[in-house]
Amino acid sequence: MTEATRRTPGTPCWVSLMVHGLDATREFYGALFDWEFAPGPQQLGPYVRALLDGREVAGIGQLPPDRHLPIAWTTYLATDDADETAESIRCCGGTVAVGPLDAGEAGRMVICSDPAGAVFGVWQAGAHPGTATTGPPGTPVWNELLTYETGSVAKFYGTIFGYETEPAAPADLDRLTLRLDGRPVASLHGVGAALPRDRGAHWMTYFEVADVDASARLAAELGGRVVRPPHEGAAGRSAVVADPEGAVFTLVRSSDGGRGPDEAPPG
């Protein structure tokens, strides 16, 4: 990996999904986002990387038959040292569930959760730096943590990754933008009692689409469901949908034309 491809620690750099039916999930996302697929590291079982115009944008793996974990997209945050970051997570009240372990020559990974229970990944890049393109339809363009309140988790993530936090407008919303090197990279949203009981605190991945309404309809036709219908937000039009196994994600048509959020996170 060259310095040009290195991501500042704390930057969301990859998203992946672990499911029971890998083939059916590939068909769903292939039809929804025009993804093609190539084999990825097999350390945790069958795993493929989703490609858009030949460039890697996400990963999908298959759970062992006896593992009954919640099906959800996982946001990975970049690090220069997965082992050191894992130790920091433990010291700050988080939990390390998997790793640190090597994913072949691709890199080194950790699966963990913050003090509120939200699962996220940590990625130390080797041959695989992470998402190769972001902005065009079918690519992940934003990541937001939905949690009960932002105060304690903001301290957790800030201590580990050195984020600068900025309250989002309007001021009465419990929402913070996380910045690195002066630019926005992710956001935290405290939703209180509106936090889904079946999922608890969780990271949400936003995928860019050309037409939110059409993509939401297509997701339902492909066996998924619409969780929150299309609506206008600060950074564009979005809808929350779930795939056939229940993994929830957001479709967004960014107001900046697909370059990803700048000042205002989607919502």
Side-chain angles (χ1 to χ4, degrees):
M1 184 179 59
T2 66
E3 185 64 26
T5 61
R6 175 188 175 274
R7 287 171 163 91
T8 301
T11 305
C13 62
W14 187 244
V15 292
S16 73
L17 175 66
M18 299 297 290
V19 298
H20 295 291
L22 182 56
D23 290 342
T25 300
R26 286 174 53 169
E27 291 180 10
F28 173 84
Y29 287 100
L32 184 63
F33 292 140
D34 291 328
W35 286 349
E36 297 178 336
F37 299 91
Q42 307 292 304
Q43 275 75 9
L44 298 179
Y47 187 85
V48 295
R49 290 177 180 157
L51 309 177
L52 190 66
D53 296 327
R55 305 182 73 183
E56 298 167 341
V57 295
I60 303 175
Q62 183 164 303
L63 289 166
D66 58 342
R67 297 294 295 275
H68 299 287
L69 301 173
I71 306 300
W73 280 98
T74 299
T75 297
Y76 283 76
L77 306 176
T79 183
D80 289 336
D81 189 325
D83 296 77
E84 183 178 293
T85 300
E87 186 58 32
S88 295
I89 288 167
R90 292 188 187 97
C91 291
C92 291
T95 301
V96 174
V98 177
L101 57 83
D102 289 326
E105 297 180 353
R108 193 160 172 80
M109 63 172 284
V110 185
I111 301 294
C112 41
S113 60
D114 66 26
V119 174
F120 65 100
V122 172
W123 182 250
Q124 178 185 336
H128 174 61
T131 305
T133 180
T134 183
T139 63
V141 292
W142 194 250
N143 294 271
E144 180 172 74
L145 172 65
L146 296 173
T147 189
Y148 184 75
E149 57 85 26
T150 63
S152 60
V153 291
K155 293 178 182 177
F156 169 81
Y157 287 101
T159 299
I160 295 167
F161 295 109
Y163 295 119
E164 300 170 357
T165 59
E166 179 182 8
D172 60 338
L173 290 179
D174 184 14
R175 200 170 204 167
L176 299 173
T177 299
L178 302 180
R179 290 177 173 268
L180 289 170
D181 303 326
R183 64 184 184 89
V185 296
S187 52
L188 310 179
H189 191 185
V191 297
L195 195 67
R197 292 184 179 180
D198 59 336
R199 294 201 303 279
H202 62 282
W203 279 88
M204 174 74 78
T205 301
Y206 288 73
F207 290 98
E208 186 76 22
V209 293
D211 185 325
V212 170
D213 298 69
S215 294
R217 287 194 298 271
L218 179 57
E221 292 169 2
L222 293 169
R225 62 186 176 90
V226 176
V227 177
R228 186 181 183 193
H231 59 284
E232 295 294 335
R237 190 165 180 79
S238 65
V240 180
V241 299
D243 69 17
E245 290 203 25
V248 176
F249 57 99
T250 296
L251 305 169
V252 63
R253 172 60 176 169
S254 302
S255 57
D256 61 7
R259 292 185 298 276
D262 186 8
E263 296 304 320

